[in-house]
């Protein structure tokens, strides 16, 4: 069997891998469907000698919160998600659908609304695109520590009215991911990133207000009537 090429870019003198923004010319762009939460857009894009047509979900983006207590337990929620016909385990998360609201403020609001919790210590755990081939949704996961209960419980509605909550050790969360018992992407990415970050002494995490170049286009203020 032939030797495989080396994948150690450091020894090869190559730069670290990083996503590269690519603003290809867009010949046309139209909203083909306006939804209750997100829309469907069709773009004609110049690529090489020709063009391609791509339809994708035009998404406002979202934030999620991995809340970790002093005993290294993660705050989890379980609620019904209709597209997958399942009640899945998640970490608190929500859309960036409030015009003018900063991502950190949205994360703090979601933690209060879904967990009746506040935190004194915030950092960016990781950023990711949920489905780059079909959606422009960008999600930022925050690490929240120094947790305290809020003064009053939040009144929950619809799916959240039947939400189950649980505190689970971070290592047990990782086991659940690796054993494929949980599959929510923010939970999967969040707990794996948190385990690695903890092993590194939480060094290298970005500040809670760090720039977010890949963020979805923010919602605009509604036009005055």
């Amino acid at each position: 069997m032939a030797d495989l090429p080396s994948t150690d870019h450091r020894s090869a003198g190559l730069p670290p891998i990083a996503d590269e923004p690519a603003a290809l010319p867009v010949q046309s762009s139209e909203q083909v469907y306006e939804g209750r939460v997100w829309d469907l857009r069709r773009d004609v894009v110049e690529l090489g000698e020709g063009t391609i047509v791509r339809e994708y979900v035009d998404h406002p983006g979202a934030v999620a919160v991995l809340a970790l207590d002093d005993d290294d337990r993660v705050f989890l929620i379980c609620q019904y998600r209709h597209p997958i016909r399942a009640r899945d385990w998640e970490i608190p998360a929500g859309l960036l659908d409030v015009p003018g609201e900063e991502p950190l403020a949205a994360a703090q609001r979601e933690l209060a609304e879904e967990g009746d919790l506040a935190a004194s210590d915030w950092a960016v755990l990781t950023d990711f695109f949920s489905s780059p081939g079909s959606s422009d949704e960008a999600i930022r996961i925050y690490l929240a520590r120094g947790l305290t209960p809020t003064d009053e419980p939040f009144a929950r509605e619809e799916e959240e009215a039947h939400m189950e909550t649980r505190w689970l050790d971070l290592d047990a969360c990782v086991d659940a991911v690796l054993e494929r018992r949980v599959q929510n992407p923010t939970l999967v990415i969040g707990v794996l990133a948190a385990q690695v970050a903890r092993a590194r002494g939480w060094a290298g995490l970005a500040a809670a207000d760090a720039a977010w170049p890949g963020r979805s286009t923010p919602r605009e203020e509604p036009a005055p009537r």
Side-chain angles (χ1 to χ4, degrees):
M1 181 176 178
D3 292 337
L4 296 176
S6 171
T7 57
D8 189 345
H9 290 183
R10 293 169 297 180
S11 62
L14 298 175
I17 64 169
D19 297 339
E20 301 176 11
L24 299 181
V26 178
Q27 288 189 355
S28 64
S29 181
E30 61 175 323
Q31 180 180 296
V32 296
Y33 176 77
E34 182 178 358
R36 179 174 175 268
V37 179
W38 43 71
D39 307 324
L40 183 65
R41 182 163 291 277
R42 180 184 295 126
D43 289 355
V44 179
V45 185
E46 295 181 16
L47 183 64
E49 299 300 321
T51 60
I52 58 173
V53 179
R54 291 292 181 267
E55 294 175 345
Y56 59 95
V57 175
D58 187 5
H59 199 285
V63 290
V65 184
L66 190 136
L68 195 67
D69 72 4
D70 294 339
D71 296 318
D72 279 358
R73 297 182 306 166
V74 179
F75 178 74
L76 302 176
I77 62 176
C78 184
Q79 61 180 317
Y80 177 68
R81 293 300 192 184
H82 185 69
I84 61 172
R85 306 298 195 275
R87 297 181 71 248
D88 74 337
W89 284 98
E90 308 177 0
I91 56 178
L95 298 172
L96 290 169
D97 57 355
V98 177
E101 185 177 43
E102 290 299 317
L104 176 58
Q108 293 168 333
R109 173 175 55 80
E110 291 295 339
L111 183 60
E113 291 180 359
E114 298 190 352
D116 299 325
L117 293 169
S120 60
D121 184 4
W122 290 83
V124 174
L125 188 56
T126 190
D127 299 332
F128 72 99
F129 296 110
S130 62
S131 184
S134 59
S135 173
D136 66 355
E137 180 185 25
I139 299 179
R140 167 161 284 186
I141 304 180
Y142 290 90
L143 175 68
R145 294 180 293 174
L147 304 176
T148 55
T150 55
D151 293 335
E152 296 182 6
F154 185 79
R156 299 177 180 87
E157 301 176 345
E158 299 180 342
E159 294 100 327
E160 293 180 352
H162 306 281
M163 192 168 62
E164 179 183 352
T165 65
R166 186 181 302 183
W167 290 92
L168 188 63
D169 183 80
L170 178 59
D171 290 330
C173 291
V174 172
D175 290 340
V177 170
L178 297 180
E179 293 168 8
R180 305 181 307 283
R181 291 184 278 113
V182 294
Q183 299 180 41
N184 180 275
T186 52
L187 173 61
V188 170
I189 294 171
V191 299
L192 295 181
Q195 185 197 46
V196 173
R198 182 182 62 179
R200 297 179 177 182
W202 305 112
L205 294 183
D209 59 353
W212 188 2
R215 179 184 173 182
S216 304
T217 302
R219 287 287 178 99
E220 297 180 353
E221 296 282 356
R225 295 186 176 182

